[in-house]
Every structure is written in structure tokens, then in C-alpha cells.
Amino acid sequence: MNDRTTETALSLTKFGIGQPVTRKEDPILVQGKGRYNDDIGLPNQAYAAMVRSSQAHGIIRGIDTQAAKAMPGVLAVLTGADLAAYGGLKCTLPIKSRDGSPIKYVPRPALSTDKVRFVGDPVACVIAETVAQAKDAAEAVALDIEPLPAVVSARDAAKPGAPQLYDAVPGNIALDFQHGDGAKVAEALKNSAHVVSLPLINQRLVVAAMEPRSAIGEFDKTGERWTLHSSSQGVFGMKNLLRDILGAPADKVRVLTGNVGGSFGMKATVYPEYVCVLHGAKLLGRPVKWTDDRSGSFMSDHHGRDFDMTVDVGFDAGGLITAVRLTGYGNLGAYCGNFGPLLPTLNVTKNIISMYRTPLLEVATKCVFSNTTLVSAYRGAGRPEGALSIERSMDIAAVELGIDKLELRRRNFIKAKQMPFATPAGTTYDCGDFPGLFKQALEQGDAKGFARRKRESKKAGKLRGFGVACYVETTAAMTQEQGGIKFNADGTVTIVTGTLDYGQGHASPFAQVLTEKLGIPFDKIKLMQGDSDLLVHGGGTGGSRSAMASGTAIVQASDKVIEAGKTLAAYVLEASSGDIEFKNGQFTIAGTDRTINIMALAEKLRTITLPGDMPKDFPKTLDITHVTEAVPGTYPNGVHVVEVEIEPDTGLTRVVKYNAVNDFGTVINPLMVEGQVQGGIVQGLGQVLLEGAVYDTAGQLVTGSFMDYAMPRAHDAPMIMVANRPVPTKTNPIGAKGCGEAGTSGGLPAVANAVIDALSDYGIKHLEMPMTASRIWEAIETAKAKKLSA
């Protein structure tokens, strides 16, 4: 066994699919050697600062830039008039209202010219020699804005007589969405033995990624070519969005993304600042850089959630679900985000069914404009909201029906033998073992021992609650993806794919797939995702799709490498290609010991010249550029079991026990899956207990900094035990189902259910989120007062 064969064997043992391999990028990042967008400094670079509205709603009567232009170091002050040649920021979703009409909205200009529609709406951009000079001059720009009444909640914005944001959108209703047969659902609910009706608000959240947004614009006058350096979730998609705004052909726009410090959906699209720095670069003939600060990001980054819904669930006399209806409002904010209308409509529709046999479903949502920061995708993007709706309803139904909450769920589970199962949401679950998953989660969480632990908590003067939540997610819609494999002269191999790592850690699992397929040593594999010039396609990262999309692309590209390799190995070994076999990184003449390692073959091909009379289809290299057909979405699922303790005298709540058992299909890297799930759970926990973006009636963001907005800290999270119970899907060659958002889909309803279970000692059946210490204390005191007065 030669050195290369030994290296391949070790890689397959330690670094193949299913191994808990650490993240390739971590040694670089923890040493501070990462390259985030704000780390980039280009020669002769200028700096931009944005001028934002302090009014939530008003008519722009004038923008006086003269004083700012006269200040030291100022190079230019841009207003909307300067950007009139560019297109607006659009929403390209093909969703229609119930009457068949498309979404009603006005494309967002990079800088507002007629009205301001939320606090933080950009109206001007100052470019100067230094950051300080740009910020100082931005404060000197004088705005003349005639105030108009503001409206901040979707429900209020849809009422007759509410302030109108757009003349072209009557009643502020951009979309009147409806799924399902409303008449049949209403009849089923009417005839049900029992109906749970629950008003439920998913409060607005600030995304608060660790790295604020940043962008650098360049313009090459000679080639008439734009380059944007920015954080993103996929450079190919960002490039296409920019092309539309700039009116530029594909070869005239390039997007570059380095390391990204978190996004959760927020950095997936173009923002006004990117258009400003690109125009500034063209105007000045030099690069222009902008980096947000934290207070700016609270206003300018899109927010998440903000659903105001009522869920109705009908049950027959035996406790079986008869129908589900979800109606209400989704707050779009002041502008129509690229994904905003998707979340409270199609996404929540596909994710509210969960694990339960549901004969009928209706979802009716009005997507409404308001004088607030726009709302778009945030981790889960409709999935956790759907799970919360059905799981809170199941707990309430169990109490009202007098059926144990665990038994009620068991009665309604879709069984493995019923797969594939067509749901009324228009989805078809291809596989899964929901009852088995539930059983394992309860065993792992020691549900039988809860009563003892509750008694122990009571002795310590604390309330203890038990929460369980089931979820089935629908991952992102079917898209194509690139899988390129390049054998480099230095003996390394580069994977080229159009998803993008913004904290997930793609390099290791993608390398594991390639090691498994081709036997290439793990430490020889590199990953390239962040240069649109090197991509022929790319769907970006979002919707828990990367393992399926890029994984499929890498597997299919590997098959093409093997096919080409057999032909080339046959030439090198002087054999017929039909006699060549491939296994564990070795091309071998069948029935002999004559073999060549794939890495040795790649090296050999760089040193020989193939004869000129070879057939036209004879491969010249092992390098492959491949684009898949559309890769189907999948249905990851799981059960989370949670316990909380509450101090009744203060309302302080701690999550003290957490177990999650999930079916993600084939798990490429269990270590990284565990981290993904834990992160999602903490974000769900944060929404239940701590987080909430609040506007006053004038449209001012009251929670405008971390002084007012409570993010979960390390001490808020318990030890989170994660287990996998995979049922691999057959819809992609790896069998993976996606895991990036699942922790939030399980964590949000599980923690909420646990808190309400603890408070049930006082007869409390529901509490709006965030269930802060003060809100819990107040609910307990109110319940005690009612009991005394009864």
C-alpha cells in the first residue's frame, strides 16, 4: 500500500460521511485571521455614511445638502435624484392574492424622494475621505419633512381610515392570501366536537447578526464593470438582483463575499446602501466603503417575524384533528422585502401541519404595509411560527378535552406505514417515523421522572413546567445548484458551489462528501463559494437547503469525475476504459493489481501531452463544472422535550433541561448538526423569554439598542442534548434532509409550552411573548388576586 493509498484509507475512516469532523475554518477564525467585509481596505478608498429619517411617516419637502458639501473631506452628497437612472429594489415572489391578482407594491428606491415611511428610511448618502468626516457631514444634511400620521401594527394598518403608505396600495394591503377551501374548513369546524381558538402573536425580532452589514463598491470605467464586496448569503443571487437594479449585463457585475459573521436570512438581498456605494464609485472613480454600526443596523437591517394570527383547530369526540384554520395579518413593514410576503403565507402553510393527520386546512393572511422597518426572512421564516401555532393549540386542546397532552399527540400522528403522506398544505411527506421519534425523545428527556423533579422544585419554592413540541419543516423550494471540482497544480482540490457559508461551516461537510465519493484526502480539499465570476449558477444558502443542494451537486460532479477518470486512467494504464474500476480513490484494471490513485492521475495529467488525434469527447482533465437539475425540498422533523423553572416572586425563568431528537436523514457531520440545532434552539428560547422589537405609536423604535433589546446570553441556555434518529430520504443521493433552522422550529413552541405548563399551577392558560420576568410576575400576581377575590 503506497502513501497515497494509505492517506485515502485514513481519510475515508476519519473524514467520510457520518464522522464528527471539526470545522476547517475555525483555526483561522479563532486566531482573528478571517477576512470579513469591514477588514477589506482598497487603495484610494472613500467612505460613506447614510442620512436617515427620524420621522416614521412624512412628505419630503426638501433636502439641504449645501452645508454638508462644504465640510472638510466631503467628496459627494447623494440624494434620490442622483440615483434616478437605477431600478428599485423589488420583490420577485410569484405569490398571488385570493382573487388571482399579484402582490401590490412599489419597488423601493435606494434613497427616498417623495416620502419617508419608517424611522431609518435612507434619504441621502454622504461620501468623504474618512469615516468620521462622512458621519459629521451626514449630521449637517438638513431634512424638511412634513409629518404624517403613522401606523405600526399590521392589524391597525388594515383598518379603514388608517394612514396610507402608498397611493397604489389601497388599505395598505399588499397581498390577500388564501390557501384551502374556506367553506369546507368552516363546516368541519362547525361540526367538530371541540374547537380550540387561540389568538397568537409572533412578535417582531431584531436579527442582530454578530457582523453588521458592510459593502464596498468599485467601478472599472474602462470595462464599464461594477464590483460589489459585501456580506451575503450567495454571490450569484446577489449579482442577479444587482444586475436588475443597475441595468447591467451579466458580465458587467461581480459580487465578492468573504467570511460572513451571521445572517439568518437578513443578508440575502440587496440593500439601498449597496446601490449608493456603487454609484459613488462610478461618480468618483474610486472605491467607496460603507459599514453599518449597531444602532444603525437595528433600524436598517430587516426585522423578523411579526405575525398577528388566530389559529382554530377542530377535534372530534375521540380527540382527532378535523380541521385547522389560520387567519390574520403579516406585517411587511414599510417596503416589500424580497422574501417578506412568503413567510406568513406559503411558508407557514407548509409548516403548520407538523406530524399530525389533518384532513382540512385553510390559511388566510393579509400582508400589510406599516411605518416600520421592513420584515423578511429570519431563521425559520414561517416554519417556527407554524410549529408554534399547532403545538400551543395541542397543549390547550389537551386541557380542554381532558386528554393527556402526550396521548393527544400520539392519537394524531401520521404513521410510518402511511408514507408517502399527502397533506392539505400541498406537500407530500416522503418518509419519517414520527411515533418512534416521539417515544425516543420522551425517553431521552425522562418524561416519567418529571413529577419527581416538579416536587423537588416546589420544595425549593419554584414552579416547574414540562414542554413538548413536534415539528416537520418544509425546506426551501426546488432549485438548481452548481458543483464544480477542480484539481489544482499544488495537489489540492477545490469544490466550487453556489451556496455560501455565513457561519454554518460548509467546508468540512462538503469535503466529507467529496472524500466519501472520490477518496480525496480531506486536508487537500478547499471550498470556493464567494466569487460570482467563478460561478455559472448558484442558489445561495437559505431555507436549510445547502446539504441537499450542494451535496447533490458534489455527488453528481464526482460521478462525472469518475467517468472521465476511467477514460484517462485507461489511457495512462494502457487498458480499455471498460476494464477500469473505481473504488476508494483508486482506478484499477479489473482482475489485476495495476492501479493509479485519483490524485496521482491528476498529477500525471499535468505532465503529459495527449495525442492530437484523440476523439473530440475524450476528456483532457479531471476538472468538472456541473449544474444539477432542481433538487427537491425535504421534510426534516423532530421532537423537543423541555423543562423550565420559574421563581414566582420574581418571574425569573430558567430552562433547566433540554432534549431534542431529530430526523435529518443522513447526517453528514453530527458534530456540526448538533451545533446548528443548539444555535436554533437558543434563538427560539430568546423569542419566548427575552426578545421583542417595540415601536411606539409615533413609529419610533423604542428597543433601538442592546440596552433595551434583550438577547439571550450563555447563562440563559441550558445544556442541550441532541440526538439523531435518521430516516434517510430518497429525494437526493445523500439522503440528507436539512437542519439549519430546525432548532428554532422545535425550540420556540417547546419552551413556550413549558412556561405555560409551569404557570398552569395558577390557572394561567396563555401568555404573549416575550414571556419576560416582569410579564410572568404580573400574570402570577393577577391570578393570585383573582383567586383571593373569588
Side-chain angles (χ1 to χ4, degrees):
M1 185 178 288
N2 60 39
D3 290 344
R4 279 206 169 100
T5 304
T6 301
E7 191 176 25
T8 295
L10 287 172
S11 280
L12 286 168
T13 302
K14 296 179 61 179
F15 301 107
I17 290 175
Q19 298 301 313
V21 182
T22 56
R23 302 188 345 159
K24 276 176 169 276
E25 65 272 24
D26 282 353
I28 295 171
L29 298 181
V30 299
Q31 295 180 77
K33 296 180 179 179
R35 189 170 184 265
Y36 297 88
N37 208 75
D38 193 48
D39 294 325
I40 301 170
L42 300 178
N44 200 32
Q45 178 175 277
Y47 297 86
M50 305 304 294
V51 180
R52 304 186 185 278
S53 172
S54 60
Q55 297 282 339
H57 198 197
I59 300 170
I60 299 174
R61 297 300 186 190
I63 303 174
D64 187 350
T65 63
Q66 292 306 308
K69 288 178 178 178
M71 293 182 69
V74 173
L75 302 169
V77 180
L78 309 178
T79 65
D82 299 303
L83 308 181
Y86 303 118
L89 282 64
K90 298 178 181 178
C91 173
T92 57
L93 295 171
I95 306 176
K96 295 184 178 181
S97 289
R98 65 175 73 210
D99 63 3
S101 61
I103 301 170
K104 295 183 177 69
Y105 79 102
V106 176
R108 181 185 185 183
L111 296 173
S112 295
T113 57
D114 59 341
K115 291 171 68 176
V116 293
R117 294 177 171 86
F118 73 101
V119 173
D121 207 352
V123 294
C125 174
V126 177
I127 303 172
E129 294 287 356
T130 69
V131 174
Q133 288 172 335
K135 289 185 174 181
D136 286 346
E139 293 183 3
V141 175
L143 304 181
D144 181 5
I145 297 175
E146 179 184 331
L148 293 172
V151 60
V152 297
S153 83
R155 185 176 293 272
D156 289 342
K159 291 178 179 177
Q164 298 296 292
L165 274 73
Y166 299 94
D167 294 338
V169 187
N172 296 317
I173 298 173
L175 184 70
D176 183 11
F177 174 86
Q178 200 263 348
H179 170 90
D181 189 324
K184 287 184 178 180
V185 170
E187 184 68 16
L189 291 172
K190 179 181 177 181
N191 295 328
S192 296
H194 186 79
V195 177
V196 169
S197 185
L198 175 65
L200 193 60
I201 293 175
N202 268 274
Q203 77 272 32
R204 177 182 288 250
L205 302 178
V206 174
V207 176
M210 186 178 293
E211 174 207 23
R213 287 186 298 112
S214 176
I216 304 174
E218 292 185 87
F219 184 77
D220 177 12
K221 186 176 181 180
T222 303
E224 294 287 314
R225 195 162 193 257
W226 312 84
T227 298
L228 178 73
H229 304 256
S230 75
S231 47
S232 74
Q233 290 186 199
V235 293
F236 196 82
M238 183 74 81
K239 169 183 170 175
N240 286 334
L241 292 172
L242 277 174
R243 282 180 55 205
D244 181 70
I245 294 168
L246 299 173
D251 62 343
K252 299 300 182 182
V253 179
R254 184 186 190 189
V255 177
L256 295 167
T257 296
N259 294 119
V260 180
S263 174
F264 311 111
M266 182 266 291
K267 295 173 182 173
T269 191
V270 174
Y271 280 82
E273 298 88 358
Y274 307 170
V275 182
C276 292
V277 297
L278 286 168
H279 177 77
K282 182 177 182 180
L283 177 70
L284 299 173
R286 58 193 288 192
V288 177
K289 179 178 183 178
W290 168 84
T291 299
D292 212 348
D293 54 28
R294 187 58 66 184
S295 60
S297 70
F298 264 71
M299 294 186 296
S300 66
D301 296 349
H302 78 235
H303 292 167
R305 309 287 191 248
D306 209 344
F307 292 14
D308 182 351
M309 301 284 207
T310 296
V311 58
D312 301 303
V313 184
F315 295 86
D316 67 15
L320 298 181
I321 295 172
T322 59
V324 173
R325 179 173 62 197
L326 185 69
T327 56
Y329 302 89
N331 197 337
L332 298 179
Y335 297 97
C336 194
N338 206 33
F339 302 105
L342 181 69
L343 318 181
T345 57
L346 288 175
N347 272 17
V348 76
T349 298
K350 293 179 180 179
N351 291 274
I352 195 172
I353 297 298
S354 188
M355 297 182 171
Y356 309 119
R357 296 187 305 276
T358 306
L360 295 167
L361 170 68
E362 180 191 13
V363 176
T365 310
K366 288 182 171 63
C367 295
V368 185
F369 289 116
S370 69
N371 295 116
T372 59
T373 297
L374 75 158
V375 175
S376 196
Y378 172 69
R379 197 170 193 168
R383 298 170 182 86
E385 296 93 320
L388 179 71
S389 297
I390 192 64
E391 288 301 309
R392 287 292 302 119
S393 299
M394 293 298 278
D395 265 23
I396 291 171
V399 173
E400 295 178 355
L401 290 167
I403 302 173
D404 176 78
K405 61 188 175 186
L406 305 181
E407 174 58 24
L408 183 63
R409 288 173 167 84
R410 290 190 189 100
R411 291 184 190 182
N412 284 280
F413 280 145
I414 299 164
K415 306 298 193 295
K417 65 183 180 182
Q418 295 175 299
M419 301 290 182
F421 186 88
T423 79
T427 55
T428 300
Y429 298 163
D430 61 302
C431 63
D433 178 13
F434 304 154
L437 202 66
F438 192 67
K439 182 176 183 291
Q440 182 177 333
L442 294 178
E443 290 173 351
Q444 183 171 309
D446 187 25
K448 292 181 179 178
F450 172 71
R452 173 181 51 80
R453 292 189 293 275
K454 185 176 178 69
R455 289 192 298 270
E456 292 170 354
S457 295
K458 187 174 182 179
K459 289 179 182 178
K462 297 179 181 180
L463 307 173
R464 195 177 188 103
F466 177 89
V468 63
C470 308
Y471 72 89
V472 179
E473 286 194 327
T474 301
T475 61
M478 296 186 292
T479 55
Q480 294 178 285
E481 191 50 76
Q482 178 174 344
I485 300 173
K486 179 177 173 55
F487 290 78
N488 305 313
D490 63 358
T492 61
V493 177
T494 299
I495 297 170
V496 181
T497 189
T499 53
L500 194 131
D501 175 3
Y502 50 87
Q504 290 85 352
H506 287 172
S508 286
F510 290 179
Q512 287 175 258
V513 173
L514 195 61
T515 293
E516 183 85 14
K517 282 293 295 182
L518 296 182
I520 295 171
F522 178 83
D523 62 353
K524 300 292 186 184
I525 300 172
K526 299 178 179 180
L527 177 62
M528 202 303 298
Q529 298 177 296
D531 185 347
S532 65
D533 275 3
L534 301 181
L535 297 177
V536 296
H537 196 87
T541 292
S544 303
R545 64 181 292 276
S546 295
M548 294 86 72
S550 286
T552 295
I554 294 165
V555 167
Q556 293 178 353
S558 297
D559 289 338
K560 290 180 177 292
V561 170
I562 293 170
E563 182 182 352
K566 286 181 177 180
T567 301
L568 291 164
Y571 174 80
V572 171
L573 296 174
E574 298 179 341
S576 168
S577 59
D579 293 333
I580 300 296
E581 298 175 342
F582 181 80
K583 184 178 180 182
N584 296 340
Q586 302 293 125
F587 292 100
T588 304
I589 302 175
T592 76
D593 61 356
R594 295 186 61 203
T595 182
I596 185 169
N597 180 273
I598 189 171
M599 300 298 285
L601 177 61
E603 183 179 346
K604 183 80 171 176
L605 292 173
R606 287 192 288 271
T607 63
I608 63 174
T609 302
L610 296 173
D613 58 352
M614 288 293 192
K616 288 184 178 180
D617 61 350
F618 193 91
K620 307 291 191 298
T621 175
L622 292 176
D623 294 351
I624 293 293
T625 298
H626 171 70
V627 177
T628 68
E629 297 299 322
V631 180
T634 59
Y635 302 97
N637 54 89
V639 179
H640 292 205
V641 179
V642 188
E643 294 179 26
V644 302
E645 279 190 334
I646 299 175
E647 296 178 2
D649 292 338
T650 64
L652 180 65
T653 302
R654 295 288 187 208
V655 180
V656 294
K657 187 175 174 63
Y658 205 114
N659 286 271
V661 182
N662 307 280
D663 170 14
F664 298 135
T666 300
V667 175
I668 298 172
N669 186 317
L671 179 66
M672 294 180 62
V673 165
E674 182 178 11
Q676 283 288 303
V677 172
Q678 290 171 337
I681 287 169
V682 172
Q683 286 180 278
L685 176 158
Q687 181 175 351
V688 175
L689 299 177
L690 299 165
E691 298 183 57
V694 178
Y695 284 89
D696 66 17
T697 56
Q700 296 293 327
L701 182 61
V702 177
T703 52
S705 74
F706 287 134
M707 293 294 290
D708 311 295
Y709 186 92
M711 288 278 284
R713 267 62 169 184
H715 67 262
D716 295 308
M719 290 297 295
I720 300 171
M721 308 305 294
V722 178
N724 296 304
R725 185 187 173 94
V727 180
T729 182
K730 295 181 180 178
T731 60
N732 64 73
I734 293 177
K737 293 183 178 178
C739 71
E741 293 158 302
T744 312
S745 290
L748 179 63
V751 175
N753 280 344
V755 173
I756 299 302
D757 183 65
L759 295 175
S760 66
D761 291 358
Y762 289 93
I764 297 168
K765 297 179 180 179
H766 182 65
L767 204 61
E768 293 295 351
M769 303 181 296
M771 302 177 192
T772 59
S774 61
R775 187 170 283 178
I776 288 173
W777 177 84
E778 185 177 355
I780 291 172
E781 292 302 307
T782 299
K784 287 161 65 175
K786 284 182 178 180
K787 186 176 180 179
L788 287 172
S789 63

